[in-house]
Amino acid sequence: MKKTGSQILLESLKREGVEVIFNFPGGAILPIVDELSRWDLKRILVRHEQAAVHAADGYARASGKVGVSLVTSGPGATNTVTGIATASMDSIPVVILTGQVPTPLIGNDAFQEADIVGIARPCTKNNYLVTDVRDLARIVREAFYIARSGRSGPVLVDLPKDVLTNTTEYRYPEKIHIRGYQPTVEGHIPQIERALRLILTARRPVIYAGGGVVSSGASEELIKLAGTLQIPVTMTLMGLGGFPGTNPLSLGMLGMHGTYRANMAVTECDLLIAIGARFDDRVTGKVDAFSPKSKKIHIDIDPTSISKNVRVDIPIVGDCKRVLAKMIALLQKEEALEEYRRSLGPWHQQMEEWRDAYRLAYQQNRVIKPQYVVEKLYELTKGDAIIATEVGQNQMWTAQFYQFDHPRSLLTSGGLGTMGYGFPAAIGAQVAFPGRTVIDIAGDGSIQMNIQELATVMQYKLPIKVAILNNGYLGMVRQWQELFYERRYTLTHLGEVNPDFVKLAEAYGAVGMRATKPEEVVPVIQEALRTPLPVLMDFVVDPEEGVYPMVPAGEPISQMLLV
Amino acid sequence: MRHTINVLVENEFGVLARVASLFSGRGFNIESLSVAETLDPTISTMTIVTRGDDQILEQITKQLNKLVCVIKVMDLEGKEYVEREMVLVKVAAKAETRADILRITDIFRGKVVDIGPKSYTIEVTGDEDKIKAFLELLKPMGIKEISRTGRVALARG
Ligand SMILES: Cc1ncc(C[n+]2csc(CCOP(=O)(O)OP(=O)(O)O)c2C)c(N)n1
Ligand SMILES: [Mg+2]
């Protein structure tokens, strides 16, 4: 029997195991929207296409599955670009389905036409314009395969309206072969052996773990490897949760707002083992001065990440989980492990000295400190919540003061640093895990970038909690102005013109709460966590609190401002 | 360092844009680029001439390989290969220069492919040095227009 493009699309989504799509409708996708009414596929109507992609992204980060969003042509499609770029920078598997004008009109500046394939090319892993309904099933199959395999990432499929209504025989391709796309998954054994030999001669080794550990599901292996060898581990922002923050071997995050000991350890180590990380400039600081005394091993699924910014001695291309599993298997044959662990004694002692020299800390006085709010959120959720963040100081305080012990429990825009990401991402996570506590730790600036999603959480009764660290500033930018522009706070003060967030929540039918004094923080959080509805918590915090340590951009990471 | 890279790509629309956008987006330079179908009509070859140090070239080949539409990347640098380019030159032809132009064309094993009242159009094929030398010699006669194919290359053997 022949099927329409819309039917084929939905059938194919089912075949890919899609459970939910985040969408916003429009003329070009009406054939799919209409077809959807006959399917029991969960759909979430967001209130802005950017949020549709962030929600699909949050769903993917929290669950490990591919997130899907569906939007219309033209402005619907262009509104997704920030979401796509966000997912791309953090290697998140999402499939974005965009409507397009009918094929005969393409190129004519038709109503609501945008060359979204062209626009999104640099920020997608791959993308497709479907010009013939007979290609549709294969393209959907390829799109999901490419999105989730190798170094995962966003894939866009552009669907002209006539392709959705044309018909053809439906056959879903069982096998898939793309000759230009064969990711290397298994690490090269001789390289792994060389790496192991290098590790066993190191006396000051450090593991530097990134988002690849989370996306490949390599946490268990990393814990095992680090534990067996007693090698300290520092995580990137994307790596948080990939190794437990409360593990005694954890040094915390490294980089621009990393801990003193993590940055010192990386600077002084004789061996740096990078796992699923990409030597981003927010991690390395001044590249020439980054980990100058070390040999470097780099495990990553993406060959382009290796030796891009920093030369490494032993590259291993492969999936982190598989490579680490191989390493652990090879380690079983080693005999002198006890001796090795003992040989790291002085290095561990050095870690303790660095830890004691400068801990992450703040002084809680009469105004609420934002760090205090994050710490209390951690304690009161017992570290079990899924935490999304916005971007800015709120994001860095979350990274510093919430201890992430489990992978996929932190959703944050690391690479692109997208304000407005957290709230819709939290929607995706809550849809994936209806029973879990999902909190967006937000700034007063960022939350206003996708505040319209309050309507979405109300419509679907998603009991998300938003904790606004309300400092009345675009705080992170203000901090840079304070430090590098003689405190000229141009364009960063929001203060009095911020809305009344409590009333704002109430206008949407959500619950609004406010804390202005330190002693109100805990009761507000407790009350919010007890409330089975969306809650917006407005924490009026110290307006000029800063995030420290801080490495000024372009400086070596050992040169931290420690105020 | 100058490198000539042969890239086998899927012969479908948008591929050239993907490759070009990779180069422009990452600040890699393209000195010359030519594309044509291979014997297999589903595959095209791109010959790209680019410049950069070892680290940049390593990134260029890796990034090309990462594109889904790219099937194979061969950096010909350090290998034995032949490289050719064809150029069409329209040169002013006056009574006193005609003989010289024809002689030079002959020496370079070129061909006159069009004759106008005031000009010759000449076709010459060769490697970079040959084309450069040829154009240098014609310059004094008054080159009006040129059109070049960009370089194509094949590994020897
Ligand atoms: C979409 C977007 N625009 C601009 C920026 C630049 N930026 C980075 S942090 C920041 C301030 C964020 O303010 P707020 O949400 O209040 O967070 P705070 O730093 O105060 O915690 C800005 C404007 C950005 N990251 N994203
Ligand atoms: Mg703020």
Side-chain angles (χ1 to χ4, degrees):
Chain A
M1 205 190 72
K2 292 202 167 187
K3 294 193 166 165
T4 65
S6 297
Q7 288 168 331
I8 290 171
L9 177 71
L10 292 177
E11 194 93 47
S12 305
L13 294 183
K14 278 256 141 160
R15 290 288 298 261
E16 290 298 332
V18 174
E19 293 161 349
V20 56
I21 54 181
F22 299 91
N23 98 290
F24 198 83
I29 55 167
L30 269 177
I32 313 174
V33 171
D34 189 51
E35 186 61 35
L36 262 174
S37 65
R38 290 183 278 277
W39 292 69
D40 68 339
L41 191 58
K42 190 189 280 176
R43 54 236 175 210
I44 303 288
L45 171 69
V46 293
R47 297 303 192 273
H48 189 299
E49 290 87 352
Q50 181 190 351
V53 184
H54 288 329
D57 165 317
Y59 173 88
R61 289 190 210 225
S63 70
K65 299 176 195 164
V66 180
V68 181
S69 58
L70 168 67
V71 303
T72 194
S73 67
T78 55
N79 265 349
T80 64
V81 172
T82 301
I84 299 174
T86 302
S88 176
M89 289 289 266
D90 291 343
S91 311
I92 305 304
V94 286
V95 170
I96 302 96
L97 305 167
T98 51
Q100 183 55 278
V101 301
T103 47
L105 292 185
I106 289 178
N108 282 346
D109 299 326
F111 178 62
Q112 295 199 327
E113 176 181 2
D115 173 15
I116 190 62
V117 165
I119 291 170
R121 194 175 287 127
C123 59
T124 45
K125 187 169 166 188
N126 200 26
N127 59 18
Y128 299 85
L129 169 64
V130 187
T131 52
D132 186 332
V133 68
R134 287 170 299 180
D135 298 333
L136 182 55
R138 173 186 56 82
I139 286 175
V140 173
R141 179 90 161 92
E142 285 189 14
F144 277 84
Y145 173 66
I146 290 171
R148 66 161 73 95
S149 58
R151 178 174 175 181
S152 48
V155 179
L156 182 141
V157 182
D158 201 18
L159 302 159
K161 195 169 183 181
D162 53 333
V163 169
L164 296 174
T165 50
N166 288 347
T167 59
T168 186
E169 287 300 330
Y170 173 72
R171 232 193 74 250
Y172 204 61
E174 293 299 332
K175 280 228 169 63
I176 189 158
H177 174 74
I178 306 169
R179 57 186 167 184
Y181 180 72
Q182 269 124 28
T184 308
V185 176
E186 301 296 342
H188 188 55
I189 298 288
Q191 284 294 86
I192 298 177
E193 285 168 345
R194 274 180 64 206
L196 216 45
R197 279 197 296 279
L198 190 57
I199 293 173
L200 292 175
T201 56
R203 289 300 166 265
R204 288 175 285 127
V206 173
I207 291 173
Y208 146 48
V213 171
V214 175
S215 58
S216 81
S219 295
E220 293 288 318
E221 287 77 6
L222 177 56
I223 294 167
K224 183 93 200 279
L225 182 76
T228 309
L229 296 171
Q230 287 297 300
I231 299 179
V233 182
T234 176
M235 290 80 75
T236 68
L237 179 62
M238 297 302 299
L240 292 176
F243 188 80
T246 58
N247 186 301
L249 288 169
S250 165
L251 305 175
M253 186 171 73
L254 82 165
M256 183 174 274
H257 293 294
T259 64
Y260 178 76
R261 63 177 165 155
N263 285 349
M264 292 311 290
V266 165
T267 303
E268 295 299 325
C269 67
D270 66 353
L271 175 67
L272 186 72
I273 309 164
I275 308 177
R278 59 185 177 88
F279 295 86
D280 174 81
D281 56 277
R282 282 294 187 266
V283 160
T284 62
K286 186 178 188 210
V287 178
D288 308 332
F290 180 69
S291 199
K293 302 170 186 170
S294 66
K295 293 257 191 219
K296 294 173 186 75
I297 296 169
H298 190 180
I299 305 170
D300 204 285
I301 189 124
D302 180 5
T304 68
S305 289
I306 294 177
S307 292
K308 181 173 64 179
N309 305 332
V310 173
R311 278 260 147 221
V312 299
D313 301 280
I314 304 186
I316 303 174
V317 177
D319 178 71
C320 296
K321 186 183 178 75
R322 308 250 191 137
V323 172
L324 292 185
K326 281 268 157 53
M327 266 191 184
I328 292 163
L330 290 170
L331 262 186
Q332 307 302 322
K333 297 183 196 131
E334 294 293 330
E335 277 150 22
L337 288 184
E338 187 49 49
E339 199 182 311
Y340 178 74
R341 285 190 286 263
R342 226 174 306 124
S343 75
L344 299 187
W347 182 229
H348 284 284
Q349 204 169 332
Q350 177 70 73
M351 290 303 137
E352 279 169 34
E353 280 167 29
W354 281 327
R355 182 196 59 207
D356 296 341
Y358 188 83
R359 293 171 187 262
L360 289 174
Y362 60 93
Q363 293 274 312
Q364 179 56 67
N365 47 27
R366 253 170 298 158
V367 278
I368 303 173
K369 291 290 181 177
Q371 301 95 321
Y372 175 74
V373 177
V374 176
E375 233 170 42
K376 291 298 150 194
L377 284 168
Y378 171 66
E379 287 169 20
L380 294 170
T381 56
K382 305 185 185 66
D384 261 348
I386 297 176
I387 302 290
T389 78
E390 300 295 339
V391 168
Q393 294 180 313
N394 58 85
Q395 179 182 35
M396 290 300 118
W397 286 318
T398 304
Q400 292 179 334
F401 290 92
Y402 200 100
Q403 306 299 320
F404 294 95
D405 276 349
H406 309 287
R408 303 196 176 283
S409 53
L410 171 63
L411 321 175
T412 194
S413 171
L416 199 65
T418 308
M419 289 171 67
Y421 167 80
F423 188 30
I427 291 179
Q430 188 80 78
V431 168
F433 296 101
R436 288 187 63 181
T437 301
V438 179
I439 304 175
D440 175 33
I441 300 182
D444 49 320
S446 302
I447 193 63
Q448 295 184 65
M449 283 212 177
N450 271 315
I451 191 74
Q452 77 286 345
E453 296 309 314
L454 273 170
T456 308
V457 299
M458 290 311 293
Q459 179 174 351
Y460 297 96
K461 305 192 168 46
L462 302 170
I464 292 167
K465 313 292 179 256
V466 180
I468 302 174
L469 307 179
N470 188 350
N471 51 14
Y473 277 107
L474 298 171
M476 186 57 93
V477 183
R478 185 209 57 76
Q479 180 171 343
W480 285 50
Q481 289 173 325
E482 174 187 334
L483 295 171
F484 313 118
Y485 296 89
E486 291 156 345
R487 304 177 64 107
R488 286 186 296 277
Y489 296 160
T490 315
L491 292 175
T492 43
H493 185 61
L494 304 176
E496 312 73 54
V497 287
N498 265 334
D500 179 331
F501 287 109
V502 172
K503 282 192 188 151
L504 185 66
E506 287 166 1
Y508 279 93
V511 178
M513 298 178 184
R514 178 170 295 125
T516 53
K517 296 193 214 95
E519 58 273 22
E520 293 166 356
V521 170
V522 169
V524 162
I525 296 173
Q526 282 170 332
E527 175 73 30
L529 291 175
R530 268 198 304 269
T531 308
L533 289 168
V535 181
L536 218 137
M537 294 170 267
D538 182 16
F539 295 102
V540 180
V541 300
D542 188 346
E544 294 200 30
E545 182 66 19
V547 181
Y548 293 100
M550 177 176 187
V551 180
E555 296 282 331
I557 58 169
S558 53
Q559 303 300 307
M560 287 161 270
L561 305 176
L562 295 170
V563 193
Chain B
M1 259 284 256
R2 219 196 73 192
H3 286 236
T4 302
I5 304 172
N6 266 355
V7 190
L8 295 185
V9 297
E10 297 287 349
N11 184 10
E12 52 190 32
F13 72 76
V15 170
L16 179 59
R18 270 178 219 286
V19 172
S21 122
L22 166 67
F23 275 76
S24 68
R26 294 193 179 264
F28 302 144
N29 118 320
I30 300 184
E31 217 167 83
S32 147
L33 178 142
S34 75
V35 200
E37 206 174 283
T38 61
L39 283 181
D40 177 348
T42 67
I43 297 178
S44 299
T45 311
M46 284 187 186
T47 301
I48 301 173
V49 182
T50 182
R51 255 173 214 287
D53 59 23
D54 288 351
Q55 194 171 353
I56 290 177
L57 258 297
E58 182 182 330
Q59 267 299 307
I60 290 176
T61 41
K62 283 175 168 180
Q63 293 285 356
L64 281 168
N65 265 312
K66 193 168 155 181
L67 293 178
V68 174
C69 60
V70 168
I71 301 164
K72 196 170 175 200
V73 180
M74 289 158 290
D75 184 351
L76 296 172
E77 187 54 39
K79 301 196 176 62
E80 292 278 308
Y81 69 100
V82 282
E83 185 178 273
R84 292 290 179 273
E85 178 173 15
M86 191 180 91
V87 57
L88 292 173
V89 192
K90 189 180 285 178
V91 60
K94 301 186 196 100
E96 62 274 25
T97 57
R98 279 174 200 257
D100 268 355
I101 295 174
L102 292 178
R103 204 164 37 80
I104 293 168
T105 305
D106 221 34
I107 293 170
F108 281 82
R109 288 193 233 153
K111 260 194 297 194
V112 177
V113 290
D114 186 47
I115 301 182
K118 291 188 195 142
S119 66
Y120 285 160
T121 301
I122 301 161
E123 163 198 323
V124 168
T125 306
D127 61 16
E128 193 187 14
D129 290 344
K130 178 174 164 187
I131 304 260
K132 200 167 150 200
F134 178 68
L135 293 176
E136 282 303 319
L137 285 172
L138 284 194
K139 234 185 219 162
M141 327 277 181
I143 293 176
K144 298 175 152 190
E145 239 184 290
I146 62 172
S147 175
R148 311 172 67 146
T149 57
R151 274 158 261 175
V152 293
L154 276 184
R156 283 186 195 273

